[in-house]
Each structure stands twice: as C-alpha cells, then as structure tokens.
Amino acid sequence: LFFAAAWVACSSYDEQSSPPPAPLPEASTETGAPTPVGCATECNDGETCVGSACVPGCADKVLYVSVAGSDSNSGCAKNAPKASINAALAFLKTANLVDYQILVCRGTYNETITLDIPASIRGGYECTLWSRTPGFGFTGFDPATGRATGFDGINQTVLTSSEGHVLLINGATLGRATTIDGLTVRGRATDGGLAVQVRGGASPVVANNTIVGPASGFVPGITNGSRALVVNDTSAPEITNCRLSGGGGGSPTDSPNGSIALNLKTSGAVSVHDNELDSGTGAGSKTSAIGALVETPTSLVGADAFARNSIFHGGVGTATAVTASTGIVTSEGIRADLFDNRIVGGAIRCGT
C-alpha cells in the first residue's frame, strides 16, 4: 500500500472553484400540462400533448418532490409535488420517460433509491418558489483550514435510509447528462455499509453534494467499514464540488479498514476534482480512516484522471495495528496521477 500522510502539497491548488453546473431554466408554474395546438382536448394533469395526442409526461420535463407533497400528485407542477423520489422515478419508468429533472426541495427523505434510468436528481430548493440560495453548494476552499466553503444548509435536502445504501446509481445509460446535485446523503446510522454507490458502467456528474458514510458499525465479512462514495466495475463518474466524509464505521479488531470517504474499485476513467475528502473517524485493524482508497485494477493516469485541485484529510481514526489516519491509500502496483492537491495526514487516536 502507498500512504500519503502529513501536510504534503502536490504542487499548489487553486482556491477558486470550477464553474458550477449551468442553471436549469425556470420551472413551470402551471397547475397542469398546457395544451399546445394539435390536441383536440385539454390534457389531464400528468399528461402532455405530443403530436395530436395526450400522453403521460410533463411539458417541461421536470418533476417536483416535497415532503409536504403527495405521491398521488402528478409531480408536474410546483404546487402539486410528489412526496418521494421513488414515486417520481416510478412515474418515469411506467411512462418510459427519460432525461427528466427531479427537483427535490428541503426536508429529510428516508428512502432507499436506485437510479437506473437517465434522469437527474437535484436538491437544495426552497419549497414554494423552488429557488436556490447563492451559497447552496461548493464555493471554494478556505486556505487557512483546508476546508470547503459554501454549503450554507438553508434549503438542505437530506437523503437517508434505514436499509443498505441510500442512493445507488446504476447502468451504462447514465452518462454525463445525468446529474446528482445539491443533496446531503447520509449513510444509515449503524451496521456500516455505504451512502452512495455508482456501478454498472454509469458515468454521471456528482456535484455540489455532501455525502457522509454511516456513523458507526460494520458489516461482518466486509473489508471496509463505513464508506461515503463507492465506484465499482467500469463506472466513470465526474465527482466535483463535493464534500465527502467516511463516517465513523469499522472495528479495530474485525475490519481491516475503518471509514473511507471515496473508495474506487473501477477500471473506468474517474474524474475527481475540486472536492473536500475527509476520511472520518473510523476504526480498523490495519488502517482506520482513509480519505481515498484506490483499488482500481488499472492505472488512473492522464490529465483528467483521478484527482485534481482537491483536499484530502486523514481525519481522526482508531487503529490497533499498522496505520491510523491517511489522506490517500492505493493498492500495490496502482498508478494514479494527482495534480494540484493538498493531502493532509490525520491525527492518531489509539485503540484500546
């Protein structure tokens, strides 16, 4: 294993964030789908006119979700949102609709979500005007603390789950046009596991999110304790403007690695830039807390590969053996290019 610890500057890093994703067009304020010329009768709520027929869908390809909504609503209008993200996805799947935006306003959503169709999920909205504040996401780095700035939490959209993962992004049809943006995703409180997983060759943009691994626990037989974001097989997401924290999982006797902010187990060309990655406060028999664990079977080399302009924090972990807290760990033989990053070794908290 290769350990990057202590205050190490891989060249300099740019204190300015990369440009944020382009804003969405103003959403419709209509209570139902408008009826363009061509349909003989007015379309029902949850329908739109295509050619001369009313078919399921929303005129502006936007669905709204609010904790104050109802899953019996169409979700096509601001004042008639659905109550859950899963209901919005079910609507899209039933009607075979793709390339929609699912806008989720502030609140806590306890759901186990699988995104396996081309659709974007965006949080951080106020629930009446459906607007975002200027500081809703990543705005840069504080050079004194090495922490991300922004993430004002005013319209925080929290995803959590009592079962398994919180959000699974799965499938090769999910490319860069699919965006996961403006969410706070928290892994379940116990039993280790993970918060977000990208697999099946998916290559979405994951931006302006706070993703935190489970607070405690571990899964027996699993090498790693708690993980914020895991990328598997051939998936190649772009991860940008995010805060990742590994949580506090693992065991000083039963899991080799404790908490991990980012776990790469993919041969895909992952792009990680302009992020804060904190390993968390986990416990492990070998390494307790890791900012990024790279286990990919191929090299991550090239101008756009792996990490650029990010800060990796070792965190504060508990270990009974080799190493406590580490910014980056790679498996033996792995090559990974890093440009303009700051890698910070964490503190040691001795195990009992």
Side-chain angles (χ1 to χ4, degrees):
L1 296 180
F2 166 75
F3 299 87
W7 281 90
V8 181
C10 300
S11 180
S12 61
Y13 73 94
D14 183 2
E15 296 176 8
Q16 301 298 319
S17 66
S18 60
L24 288 172
E26 285 297 318
S28 170
T29 58
E30 300 294 328
T31 58
T35 305
V37 175
C39 288
T41 60
E42 183 178 356
C43 295
N44 295 324
D45 188 22
E47 293 182 332
T48 187
C49 184
V50 176
S52 60
C54 292
V55 297
C58 306
D60 53 7
K61 302 189 77 170
V62 174
L63 280 171
Y64 300 92
V65 177
S66 168
V67 291
S70 170
D71 285 341
S72 63
N73 291 336
S74 70
C76 289
K78 294 179 179 180
N79 61 355
K82 289 189 176 295
S84 67
I85 297 169
N86 277 323
L89 289 171
F91 174 82
L92 297 179
K93 290 180 181 181
T94 299
N96 197 28
L97 301 171
V98 297
D99 300 326
Y100 268 61
Q101 306 286 333
I102 299 175
L103 306 190
V104 190
C105 74
R106 66 186 178 206
T108 298
Y109 299 82
N110 192 337
E111 305 184 55
T112 300
I113 301 164
T114 296
L115 176 64
D116 54 7
I117 60 172
S120 296
I121 302 175
R122 300 177 181 267
Y125 290 91
E126 186 270 338
C127 295
T128 301
L129 300 176
W130 292 87
S131 60
R132 285 168 159 174
T133 65
F136 91 96
F138 178 90
T139 58
F141 291 115
D142 183 329
T145 64
R147 297 292 180 177
T149 57
F151 298 101
D152 60 22
I154 292 175
N155 293 317
Q156 196 171 46
T157 301
V158 179
L159 308 187
T160 186
S161 175
S162 58
E163 301 178 8
H165 65 266
V166 180
L167 175 60
L168 170 62
I169 306 165
N170 184 34
T173 61
L174 280 63
R176 289 290 191 265
T178 296
T179 300
I180 310 302
D181 173 55
L183 303 174
T184 297
V185 187
R186 296 174 180 163
R188 60 181 178 173
T190 58
D191 299 328
L194 54 93
V196 177
Q197 183 177 23
V198 183
R199 62 182 302 171
S203 301
V205 175
V206 181
N208 290 300
N209 301 289
T210 297
I211 305 175
V212 183
S216 62
F218 68 98
V219 179
I222 301 298
T223 300
N224 303 315
S226 60
R227 293 170 290 174
L229 176 57
V230 180
V231 183
N232 287 107
D233 47 63
T234 60
S235 296
E238 178 183 2
I239 304 165
T240 181
N241 295 163
C242 289
R243 293 187 306 182
L244 307 180
S245 174
S251 165
T253 57
D254 296 313
S255 59
N257 298 319
S259 55
I260 302 168
L262 176 63
N263 189 188
L264 297 182
K265 304 165 71 70
T266 177
S267 60
V270 179
S271 175
V272 181
H273 64 92
D274 301 281
N275 301 281
E276 176 194 317
L277 300 94
D278 190 297
S279 65
T281 59
S285 60
K286 183 167 61 176
T287 304
S288 63
I290 304 171
L293 174 60
V294 183
E295 300 177 282
T296 179
T298 60
S299 297
L300 288 172
V301 297
D304 296 322
F306 191 36
R308 179 182 293 275
N309 195 38
S310 293
I311 298 181
F312 297 80
H313 289 272
V316 181
T318 300
T320 56
V322 183
T323 305
S325 303
T326 307
I328 298 177
V329 176
T330 66
S331 295
E332 185 175 355
I334 297 298
R335 291 186 59 214
D337 283 349
L338 294 90
F339 302 90
D340 303 316
N341 300 282
R342 178 183 290 182
I343 305 172
V344 184
I348 297 175
R349 184 179 61 195
C350 296
T352 55

